[in-house]
Amino acid sequence: MRTDRLIRNALSHALLAALALASNDVLAAKISRLTPPSELFASNNANGPVISRFLQGQRFDLQATVQPDAGLTITDFYFSVDGSTTNPPTIDANYKLSYPLGNRIGRVDESASDASCIDSTSGKTTGKSGCKLVAGLPGNTVVVSQRAYASYQAGVHTLKVVATQSDGSRISAEGNFEIVAPADGYAKAKNIIVFLGDGMGATHRTAARIMAKGYAQGKAKAPLAMDTFPYTSMVMTSSLNSIVTDSAPGMQNYVTGNKAENNQEGVFPDDTLDAFDNPRVEYLSEYLHNLQGKSLGVVTTADVFDATPASMAIHTSARGNGTGIVDQFLDDRAQTGLAVLMGGGRKWFLPNASNSVSPQPVNGSQRRKANDYVLSDDIVNGWGVARGKLDPERDLIADFQGAGYAYAPDNAGLNEAFKHGTPNKLLGLFAYSNMNVSYDKIAARRGDSTVVDAFGFPDQPLLEEMTDKALQVLAKNSNGFVAMIEGASIDKQAHLMDTDRWIHDVIEFDRAIAVAKKFAQNNPDTLVIVTADHECSGAAILGAATASAADLAATPNSGTRYVGTYEAAKFPKYVIAADGYPQSTLVDNKMLIGYGANADRYETWLPNLFPTKDTQQPFPPAQSPSDPSSRNKDVGYFVAGQVPGDQAVHTATDIPLSAYGASAAQFHGVIDNTDVFFKLASAAMGQ
């Protein structure tokens, strides 16, 4: 498959003589965007950093936004790399120009009432997808694309786009990108497991260690599982358009090798309004499935449409488009090798014949046409992917089952799916949206089902149980796998400044890491990394309470009165139950957490009985407080926030990465999140 692409690329270069670049290129009009992004194009700085980097043979789209002179249109275009056309058009005996599949001029057809698009492949009006442009561009602006380009020649390359106007004059612009060869000298990793603690900074890890393992005379009594990984890096996390990333580029930067803008997954930004037509870049899962036949596993405690799980396989500029995102998981499984998908998110899989979420359908479905997708010809033909369909009435669970996936609706169903052997493929959907946090799941298993019953999904697996089952399925592929396992509510509860719940979720996350470490010990051709997409909330361990648990409970508005710092903090003494989790998070000398990126809140230092309301749940329990600024109001003491809104926010702080197993030694020093992609791929290539 990669060989075919190499041959096509070589043929394109061989056509240089037949389609030599014209010498009369002029800058009479404007090319306002050239993709992939480059500092050369943005600032004309040839010595600036190379922004976009790709593995040899990794596919990515070329695209440009062209603004012709007033009264003119664009009639022709081509891209070239280092002076050679990349995918040239052909001219027939009648001198008619035709473009290869995967090329397109996207232009609003002013004569069409539905603002349809003119596709250069056919010259016909092809529908709305990808045609409507963002506001503020001149009416004759076009977006020109070449899909799924790839190069095998390592090094920095000059990218040029040339567009011909209707009067024969030409517009051109240049940028650059780099093709990177896999590094040599590393042991081959057949299996790659990425543990992503969403929002998990160094403080989150330390707090979990203090609670789960305890300290004596200044030393931790035992390390976390992630602490035992022998290699460590510090990772820079910024996105393409901000020093502070959100979770979409925070994850996808690890598995595409390229920066994305906030809210975008597996794509570069563009100037069209269609969320699913942006220029794509190939994921690690797609690359290794096509190259080596590896499977993909995605496991999360969030809704499976959420930013982190979607940023392993989905191509969209809008991380909130749940219907299209979950459809794409199934529709493009031949591209990604998807074998395991587990988490919450059942609301996107249930049919919604009415195409409405107000009033809420009784089955909890939130499928809608408005956030579904239909792809244009150039994407379908260029990438070989499914076209998609606006189908809120789709029963996606049934479609997964029809494609051979065993389905588990709860923990009992998950165990039942393995009763007669390990299934080849697995779908698990354990809640309407995000799963319950481990604090509440453990409480239910110990006999207090108040919270989980209120959510209506009392039998949810723990992340360690999901990890064990996922690895059993993925290990059936002799070619290996790529897995992403996310502890999602570390971030979600840190946003809400619910200290006890996010620390509990780090402990759950670490117990899942222990499962994977044991797998890697038994399968030494496995690489496991533990990292985060960003830090959330600016959490800091202030010290510990100078009061007993009883005194704290009796004085929820104590404020700073009982905050012990330095030697007054001493060592909190949490007790771990037989299930591996704290018997209680309210103990004498309880550890106290403050926040540096906080919104307004009322602090009691006490555990909250109910989690703060999750607005993504179709049927949130009435007992949940609406937000941290109302939670514990008139009970706790008021802490003024430093950020707007009612939640803490992400920070730009570097985060730790720990590595274990095959090729783990390459993870050291301070690196960019995009560097991780090339290290993972180099491990997969081995020597």
Side-chain angles (χ1 to χ4, degrees), residues 187-190 192 284 288 292 294 482 527 663 666 679-687:
K188 186 177 181 65
K190 185 176 81 170
I192 294 172
L284 182 68
L288 293 179
Q292 298 180 343
K294 293 191 187 303
V482 175
L527 170 62
S663 292
Q666 62 181 312
K679 294 178 183 297
L680 295 177
S682 294
M685 303 297 186
Q687 298 182 15

Side-chain angles (χ1 to χ4, degrees), residues 53 90 94 139 181 188 195 202 228 368 396 415 452 502 548 614:
R53 299 181 298 156
T90 58
N94 297 317
K188 186 177 181 65
F195 274 92
T228 66
R368 287 186 299 152
L396 192 58
N415 291 324
V452 292
W502 68 247
S548 67
D614 181 354

Side-chain angles (χ1 to χ4, degrees), residues 607-680:
N608 298 301
L609 175 61
F610 270 82
T612 306
K613 186 167 292 184
D614 181 354
T615 57
Q616 295 187 58
Q617 299 289 353
F619 307 109
Q623 302 96 319
S624 290
S626 60
D627 58 70
S629 65
S630 62
R631 183 184 65 205
N632 298 320
K633 186 177 181 181
D634 302 324
V635 178
Y637 83 99
F638 178 72
V639 181
Q642 301 180 82
V643 300
D646 55 19
Q647 293 194 8
V649 298
H650 300 171
T651 71
T653 305
D654 293 354
I655 52 92
L657 179 152
S658 302
Y660 177 89
S663 292
Q666 62 181 312
F667 291 96
H668 55 81
V670 179
I671 61 176
D672 189 70
N673 52 12
T674 58
D675 294 331
V676 174
F677 169 80
F678 296 97
K679 294 178 183 297
L680 295 177

